[in-house]
Amino acid sequence: MKNSSIKFTVIASLLLLASCGKDFLDEQPSEFLTQEQVGEAAAVNPAVIEGTISGIYSTMFATQSGGTTNHDDFGHKGYDIYGDMLAGDMALSVSTYGWYRADITEFQATQDFTRTRNYMPWRFYYRIIRSANLVIDALGGNDVVPELEENKYLMGQAKTLRAHAYFYLTQYYANSYDPSAEILPIYDSPDDLNGPKVTTAEIYALMEKDLNESISLLDGFTRGSKSQVDKTVAQAILAYVLASRGDSHQEVMNLTNEVIENGGYTLMNSEEVLGGFNDLNTSGWIWGVDLTVDTGLGLVSWWGQMDLYTYSYAWAGDAKAIDANLYAAIPADDVRKQQFAEPIGEYTDLMPLNKFYDPNKVIGGQANITTDYVYLRVAEMYLLHAEAAAKAGDSGTAQTILKALLSERLPNTAYVDGLNGQALLDEIYLQTRIELWGEGKSYLSLKRNQGTVVRGPNHLSNVGVPINFDDERLTFEIPQSEIQNNPSISTQN
């Protein structure tokens, strides 16, 4: 996969210069070709749009894409860390440099709309949306199915990426799913500027429309690498969207089953879950990004915050560890217990030394990032399927699919057969937190299952304090810059 790194075209490079908020909504920003120029070119040369799509994929892992020079500003995976820390499953167990401590682990950003870290995810995800809108508009608009097959696939990718961005905005900026609550502005065209907040139901309708259309548009598409989205990615994201809504259990089961049965993926086995989570080729990965030296990432990256074996803050003084209570809940014979350093009173206590690591395993060694990012795994589909089945009252299916996953982790899964009702749901929720630790999904699961955060003793603040999923401290505020610059928005959610 190292020869398949994403290539920047002129347009893709220009996309990375785009801004957000007031600047983000400039009607004709000078750093872009006009939408008319792009559309005319795309009609005869799909490569023009391919370059723009590549720019969106690159923005997903770009530093400063949240509008700052902060060392936690490096795209989608940066907000995965935010979510894991807010959900309490990731502990900032040692803090020397201060990244994440005040704003995230002490909830200052989520309670103060003037803080930069309220702005970063807002800017980043709306930046993805605006770029996707340029592609969709150039290909004819929201209701057009392009005639050229290549353009049809590009339309499907753009709509999938737009829906993915809106989904994360709904999770980070709304306390809970309330279809009548006005939470975010919708921008589904490059001409949309400074819109008002619309209801959750309207945003979900757009996401579902985008993803259902993408599933059709991407049918038959063979992607060049897992760095691109395809039909299975669109199905997986739609499953997450519907699961977060909480009233479409059978649809979630159908979508996840499609990915499991027809996606060509296999669950990571016991050796792979201890193998470093560093290679996009891994059969259990659905979507991620192949990082190479040419990508240019170093300290300011997910690996630069998380991995002891990278030149990183994790090595230099900001330790990230599994919550001690969650670690204690992992059975001794579960292979995933080995992913974490045993608590023996040292700096590395409970750090993910055997889950995420550079293969060379030289402490502080990897300076130029070549270990890959994972966005989505097939294990998530097993867990979502089991969760939806249990919520639908189909305990048998939930038990079967959960055991299929756990059989790769535990020597004996017979205990699952005795679980029903809330006990079964609680076990699926626990296994989701264990399996997907550090992958940015704990926050989504917390909100979806209406859980309660209770931090273990290895956190630096709020230890043992119960915090409900819909607590204001766990959700970001609409940033000050948006309220100041958008005349249609004057109130918080």
Side-chain angles (χ1 to χ4, degrees):
M1 293 299 296
K2 294 304 175 190
N3 62 357
S4 63
S5 60
I6 297 174
K7 305 299 183 184
F8 286 88
T9 66
V10 173
I11 293 175
S13 298
L14 291 174
L15 271 171
L16 298 180
L17 300 174
S19 59
C20 193
K22 183 178 180 181
D23 292 335
F24 169 82
L25 297 173
D26 283 348
E27 190 167 358
Q28 290 193 352
S30 59
E31 58 265 29
F32 286 100
L33 295 177
T34 67
Q35 59 207 60
E36 290 82 9
Q37 289 172 317
V38 174
E40 290 169 5
V44 295
N45 184 11
V48 172
I49 302 299
E50 289 174 5
T52 310
I53 286 285
S54 292
I56 302 174
Y57 287 128
S58 299
T59 302
M60 289 278 291
F61 60 82
T63 61
Q64 303 183 24
S65 52
T68 75
T69 58
N70 293 339
H71 287 195
D72 57 347
D73 186 348
F74 44 83
H76 178 61
K77 293 296 289 182
Y79 308 116
D80 279 352
I81 295 177
Y82 283 13
D84 282 340
M85 287 186 169
L86 290 172
D89 286 348
M90 183 182 291
L92 181 65
S93 57
V94 179
S95 178
T96 301
Y97 294 92
W99 297 109
Y100 304 101
R101 184 165 187 178
D103 274 353
I104 302 303
T105 68
E106 296 177 1
F107 308 127
Q108 290 185 21
T110 53
Q111 298 179 87
D112 181 357
F113 80 136
T114 70
R115 307 289 288 198
T116 300
R117 285 170 183 83
N118 267 303
Y119 169 68
M120 285 165 53
W122 182 278
R123 180 189 193 276
F124 170 76
Y125 288 111
Y126 272 116
R127 184 178 186 179
I128 297 295
I129 288 164
R130 187 183 194 284
S131 299
N133 284 340
L134 286 172
V135 172
I136 293 165
D137 188 74
L139 292 172
N142 288 299
D143 299 319
V144 169
V145 176
E147 293 184 10
L148 289 178
E149 187 173 70
E150 296 94 331
N151 283 342
K152 184 172 68 172
Y153 296 153
L154 293 169
M155 178 74 89
Q157 291 176 70
K159 288 190 172 183
T160 301
L161 292 166
R162 181 169 72 178
H164 180 262
Y166 271 121
F167 175 62
Y168 275 88
L169 286 168
T170 66
Q171 299 305 290
Y172 284 132
Y173 289 93
N175 293 339
S176 61
Y177 177 79
D178 178 353
S180 63
E182 295 179 346
I183 57 170
L184 301 167
I186 277 184
Y187 303 116
D188 63 358
S189 164
D191 297 325
D192 288 343
L193 304 174
N194 293 331
K197 291 188 291 185
V198 302
T199 65
T200 304
E202 290 177 76
I203 298 170
Y204 269 70
L206 175 63
M207 290 190 292
E208 291 171 42
K209 178 177 182 291
D210 274 353
L211 291 165
N212 278 310
E213 290 175 357
S214 295
I215 290 167
S216 176
L217 290 163
L218 293 170
D219 192 32
F221 172 57
T222 302
R223 54 187 170 172
S225 80
K226 292 181 185 178
S227 293
Q228 299 171 294
V229 300
D230 68 355
K231 179 180 178 178
T232 62
V233 176
Q235 290 171 321
I237 296 171
L238 181 56
Y240 267 114
V241 169
L242 296 177
S244 70
R245 201 175 67 188
D247 59 358
S248 303
H249 306 313
Q250 188 60 53
E251 290 179 78
V252 174
M253 292 169 66
N254 293 343
L255 287 161
T256 52
N257 188 66
E258 277 288 314
V259 178
I260 292 168
E261 295 295 327
N262 301 319
Y265 310 105
T266 58
L267 283 168
M268 295 175 72
N269 60 33
S270 58
E271 292 182 1
E272 288 175 317
V273 298
L274 299 176
F277 281 71
N278 51 38
D279 187 356
L280 189 62
N281 283 310
T282 305
S283 61
W285 290 23
I286 297 175
W287 182 31
V289 59
D290 178 30
L291 298 177
T292 70
V293 171
D294 291 340
T295 308
L297 292 184
L299 175 65
V300 184
S301 66
W302 185 90
W303 290 95
Q305 285 288 355
M306 289 292 300
D307 177 30
L308 184 74
Y309 302 105
T310 292
Y311 183 80
S312 68
Y313 287 102
W315 156 65
D318 286 358
K320 287 84 175 178
I322 186 173
D323 173 82
N325 293 340
L326 181 58
Y327 177 80
I330 305 174
D333 58 355
D334 188 325
V335 67
R336 295 169 299 184
K337 194 122 183 169
Q338 300 173 43
Q339 292 177 331
F340 306 96
E342 294 185 5
I344 54 176
E346 297 182 353
Y347 171 78
T348 57
D349 283 1
L350 302 183
M351 288 177 67
L353 302 190
N354 294 314
K355 180 168 186 179
F356 306 115
Y357 57 82
D358 172 50
N360 293 323
K361 279 205 163 185
V362 175
I363 293 175
Q366 180 184 215
N368 300 307
I369 305 300
T370 58
T371 43
D372 298 337
Y373 282 169
V374 58
Y375 294 151
L376 191 62
R377 290 200 285 134
V378 74
E380 300 171 43
M381 299 297 98
Y382 281 77
L383 291 160
L384 267 183
H385 190 106
E387 180 184 302
K391 288 178 178 178
D394 187 353
S395 296
T397 296
Q399 291 165 350
T400 298
I401 197 77
L402 181 60
K403 287 170 68 177
L405 171 68
L406 293 181
S407 64
E408 297 287 346
R409 313 287 180 256
L410 288 162
N412 189 338
T413 62
Y415 79 96
V416 175
D417 294 327
L419 301 176
N420 290 283
Q422 190 60 48
L424 179 57
L425 277 169
D426 289 345
E427 183 65 18
I428 295 167
Y429 180 35
L430 173 63
Q431 293 302 328
T432 299
R433 295 168 62 202
I434 294 170
E435 177 69 22
L436 303 177
W437 185 90
E439 298 177 52
K441 301 306 192 311
S442 289
Y443 184 82
L444 306 180
S445 185
L446 171 73
K447 289 204 164 183
R448 199 171 59 242
N449 291 285
Q450 301 185 0
T452 300
V453 176
V454 182
R455 292 179 177 179
N458 60 332
H459 290 260
L460 300 178
S461 60
N462 293 287
V463 172
V465 179
I467 305 174
N468 290 334
F469 74 99
D470 57 354
D471 192 292
E472 293 281 352
R473 289 171 288 180
L474 300 183
T475 302
F476 290 104
E477 303 258 319
I478 295 176
Q480 181 185 36
S481 59
E482 183 70 21
I483 291 178
Q484 288 178 334
N485 296 317
N486 184 346
S488 299
I489 296 179
S490 59
T491 61
Q492 286 295 335
N493 290 340

